[in-house]
Amino acid sequence: VGPEALLLWKSKSTFTSFGVFFLQMGWGDLGAFGEPSKETPNLDQMASEGMLFLDFYTANPLCSPSRAALLTGRLPVRNGFYTTNAHARNAYTPQDIVGGISDSELLLPELLKKAGYINKIIGKWHLGHRPQFHPLKHGFDEWFGSPNCHFGPFDNRALPNIPVYRDWEMIGRYYEDFKIDLKTGEANLTQIYLQEALDFISKQQASQQPFFLYWAIDATHAPVYASKQFLGTSQRGLYGDAVREIDDSIGKILKHLQKLGISENTFVFFTSDNGAALISAPKQGGSNGRFLCGKQTTFEGGMREPAIAWWPGHIPAGGVSHQLGNVMDLFTTSLSLAGLQPPGDRQIDGIDLLPAILQGKLIDRPIFYYRGNEMMAVRVGLYKAHYWTWSNSWEEYSKGIDFCPGQNVSGVTTHTQEEHTTLPLLFHLGRDPGEKYPLSFASDEYQRAMERISVIVQQHKATMVPGEPQLNVCDKAVMNWSPPGCEKLGKCLKPPKSDPKKCFWPH
């Protein structure tokens, strides 16, 4: 998982540009959120110059669905980024997935093009790697990065190494042409991604072209990496080295906007696609602060994210918001900044955050916590009701797979799927942000809170029309054997015979 950034820019006379930093980092990884080593000075300064969101969420506790949600403004269960192969399973887009982002979905860059924006994605796409799912077919004008995570190295026989693209064609593969040293953790990828961002911003500013930059790098996703100059510099080990390099890069991007004189015309947002992956801890995992569990779960540690909005001259410096926000709101907010309306022919789950950001208003809205095809929980105000609880199966847990290390809460962090639809587990997140003390079913507080929550849940479910699931079918023949451009490089590989099967999702 990585931090991700969104930049949206316009010239003073006509438009605003946008940038989104979207990365895998936990709520407790930033100094501004209380991380004691204070190794994120640039992000902390970004917060001091902008607005910190303390109650900001992702739409899913896993990377691919949350990225689809950000770019469509819709819950993954609506945009198809879920599976029906088993109940409440997390699913994403590995190499052998057949599905991806549907042509019926309207992505943010497709809509921004109507207002004259040039759109670029840098880093991990993760919404499908087959040709029909290519980001340049869904509104982006430029791409430098990869369709998948940087897993490997593979032998190019049983599994192909992951390709890296420039625009329509691959320019190499991870571990072959883009080195990652698994022993030392050294890789120069973040520096490459940084330079891509700086060059893109300079080019658009020179031509007075409004732009949308989606900076979705993955240095903090295991296997964690950092460039040589950052290795060994953090008190937090290799993961901290990666965080420090990301922080340094974001600082350079913001300073570049200021140097070019376009910072007051550029809205920038930093957040994450899911909580820190505690299964990778302690050496390659981040921190979710005092929140329960991490990535893969619908507890607070899996879905509450660090979030910072920055727009000099517009957002009052040093602001702190308790607005309940979600990555899907970046879709609607960006359209609002560009003077566009959200599509009216589909359910949009994101709201416009500009009243909260610019005027300090609090907008009453719920947060829904989905895992696959199941609504696991909902937050209304300071109350969170769990209708289902599940961390991971006993079988997986017995293999050492633990999404909640050291955080067992009896009756809450369950290793079988536990249904609570009759009597939901209810927590007051103001008094109990760690979700350790469910309210008594017999208390007046429980009864009053659940009366309000139940109405909201009933209305939500009554209007829910799931999209066609994209994450059900896997086939090794569709892996990254011969991506576009492989012929020029002599890197085309022979695929096996097609043998589609139901994908297996253990979590």
Side-chain angles (χ1 to χ4, degrees):
V1 182
E4 306 197 26
L6 171 146
L7 279 75
L8 192 55
W9 176 84
K10 278 187 174 179
S11 73
K12 288 184 178 178
S13 58
T14 55
F15 53 82
T16 300
S17 288
F18 306 86
V20 173
F21 299 107
F22 204 46
L23 312 116
Q24 177 169 303
M25 287 169 63
W27 197 92
D29 279 333
L30 276 61
F33 286 85
E35 204 289 313
S37 67
K38 301 289 185 181
E39 293 181 346
T40 54
N42 294 289
L43 283 164
D44 298 346
Q45 183 175 343
M46 181 183 179
S48 71
E49 295 173 355
M51 177 170 285
L52 202 66
F53 282 82
L54 299 180
D55 297 81
F56 198 86
Y57 291 85
T58 185
N60 187 272
L62 211 60
C63 38
S64 294
S66 65
R67 291 162 193 262
L70 183 153
L71 291 174
T72 64
R74 288 154 54 82
L75 285 164
V77 72
R78 295 194 209 274
N79 64 39
F81 266 68
Y82 70 103
T83 182
T84 56
N85 286 357
H87 177 251
R89 293 303 202 280
N90 287 325
Y92 66 109
T93 54
Q95 281 205 69
D96 58 346
I97 199 78
V98 170
I101 193 68
S102 171
D103 282 340
S104 65
E105 292 296 324
L106 287 172
L107 274 61
L108 177 59
E110 294 179 75
L111 298 169
L112 290 176
K113 285 178 80 71
K114 297 179 180 179
Y117 282 80
I118 296 295
N119 310 303
K120 180 162 186 170
I121 172 174
I122 298 173
K124 185 172 70 169
W125 167 239
H126 229 200
L127 299 189
H129 61 276
R130 299 172 70 201
Q132 64 265 41
F133 307 128
H134 194 289
L136 269 60
K137 286 194 174 182
H138 293 274
F140 284 102
D141 300 288
E142 299 181 23
W143 179 27
F144 184 88
S146 175
N148 303 89
C149 295
H150 56 280
F151 295 126
F154 302 123
D155 61 7
N156 284 336
R157 292 186 296 273
L159 291 170
N161 280 313
I162 307 295
V164 176
Y165 279 77
R166 178 170 299 283
D167 298 332
W168 287 108
E169 297 184 343
M170 71 174 282
I171 55 174
R173 295 182 186 268
Y174 284 139
Y175 298 95
E176 299 172 21
D177 311 281
F178 295 87
K179 303 295 184 182
I180 304 171
D181 190 322
L182 294 183
K183 290 184 179 179
T184 65
E186 182 179 351
N188 202 40
L189 288 166
T190 300
Q191 293 302 307
I192 296 173
Y193 292 145
L194 167 62
Q195 194 59 51
E196 285 287 324
L198 298 177
D199 291 347
F200 175 74
I201 292 169
S202 294
K203 180 181 177 182
Q204 306 317 314
Q205 186 273 341
S207 61
Q208 288 292 289
Q209 177 68 52
F211 66 80
F212 167 53
L213 174 61
Y214 178 42
W215 203 63
I217 68 171
D218 64 353
T220 46
H221 191 299
V224 174
Y225 62 79
S227 59
K228 188 173 183 178
Q229 72 227 55
F230 287 93
L231 289 177
T233 64
S234 171
Q235 301 175 58
R236 304 178 65 197
L238 180 57
Y239 181 87
D241 296 341
V243 170
R244 290 197 68 240
E245 184 170 16
I246 289 168
D247 174 80
D248 180 77
S249 298
I250 291 173
K252 286 178 172 146
I253 291 172
L254 299 184
K255 287 181 177 67
H256 192 57
L257 293 169
Q258 293 169 326
K259 180 181 177 181
L260 293 176
I262 60 173
S263 60
E264 292 191 5
N265 302 98
T266 309
F267 177 85
V268 184
F269 203 94
F270 168 93
T271 189
S272 178
D273 54 357
N274 47 246
L278 300 186
I279 189 176
S280 306
K283 293 185 178 181
Q284 297 202 13
S287 168
N288 296 312
R290 64 191 302 186
F291 300 124
L292 186 62
C293 299
K295 178 180 179 178
Q296 298 268 8
T297 78
T298 50
F299 300 110
E300 290 297 285
M303 293 188 63
R304 197 189 297 205
E305 311 303 336
I308 304 169
W310 186 85
W311 192 11
H314 301 271
I315 298 175
V320 176
S321 178
H322 286 282
Q323 171 65 49
L324 295 189
N326 195 290
V327 297
M328 297 179 291
D329 301 339
L330 298 178
F331 175 90
T332 312
T333 303
S334 297
L335 292 178
S336 177
L337 283 163
L340 300 172
Q341 293 294 321
D345 63 346
R346 64 200 62 208
Q347 179 69 43
I348 300 296
D349 296 294
I351 66 170
D352 183 359
L353 290 177
L354 288 183
I357 293 172
L358 301 180
Q359 302 163 27
K361 294 183 178 180
L362 289 180
I363 304 162
D364 187 21
R365 60 91 68 91
I367 295 292
F368 296 101
Y369 303 68
Y370 270 84
R371 185 167 175 158
N373 56 350
E374 184 63 70
M375 191 204 77
M376 304 286 286
V378 62
R379 176 175 173 180
V380 176
L382 287 169
Y383 291 100
K384 180 178 179 181
H386 289 266
Y387 289 78
W388 289 83
T389 53
W390 188 39
S391 52
N392 62 325
S393 69
W394 281 113
E395 180 184 7
E396 295 288 303
Y397 183 69
S398 66
K399 296 176 183 176
I401 297 173
D402 191 356
F403 304 136
C404 313
Q407 291 185 297
N408 178 60
V409 180
S410 180
V412 179
T413 54
T414 55
H415 291 293
T416 55
Q417 293 185 28
E418 298 293 333
E419 186 174 4
H420 308 281
T421 52
T422 303
L423 282 175
L425 295 181
L426 184 66
F427 296 89
H428 187 289
L429 295 178
R431 300 191 298 263
D432 178 25
E435 298 171 278
K436 294 179 174 61
Y437 309 104
L439 298 181
S440 168
F441 298 136
S443 68
D444 289 340
E445 182 181 10
Y446 180 94
Q447 299 299 328
R448 288 194 303 270
M450 285 310 306
E451 283 179 9
R452 182 184 177 202
I453 292 171
S454 295
V455 172
I456 291 170
V457 169
Q458 288 170 7
Q459 292 174 342
H460 174 71
K461 291 193 171 184
T463 60
M464 174 54 67
V465 180
E468 182 180 351
Q470 296 293 311
L471 309 180
N472 279 352
V473 181
C474 289
D475 186 349
K476 287 191 174 183
V478 306
M479 293 197 292
N480 293 290
W481 300 105
S482 298
C486 68
E487 300 90 349
K488 298 177 184 177
L489 303 174
K491 287 185 173 289
C492 298
L493 303 170
K494 184 179 179 180
K497 183 179 178 180
S498 179
D499 183 21
K501 297 178 180 177
K502 288 178 66 175
C503 301
F504 174 68
W505 304 108
H507 307 305

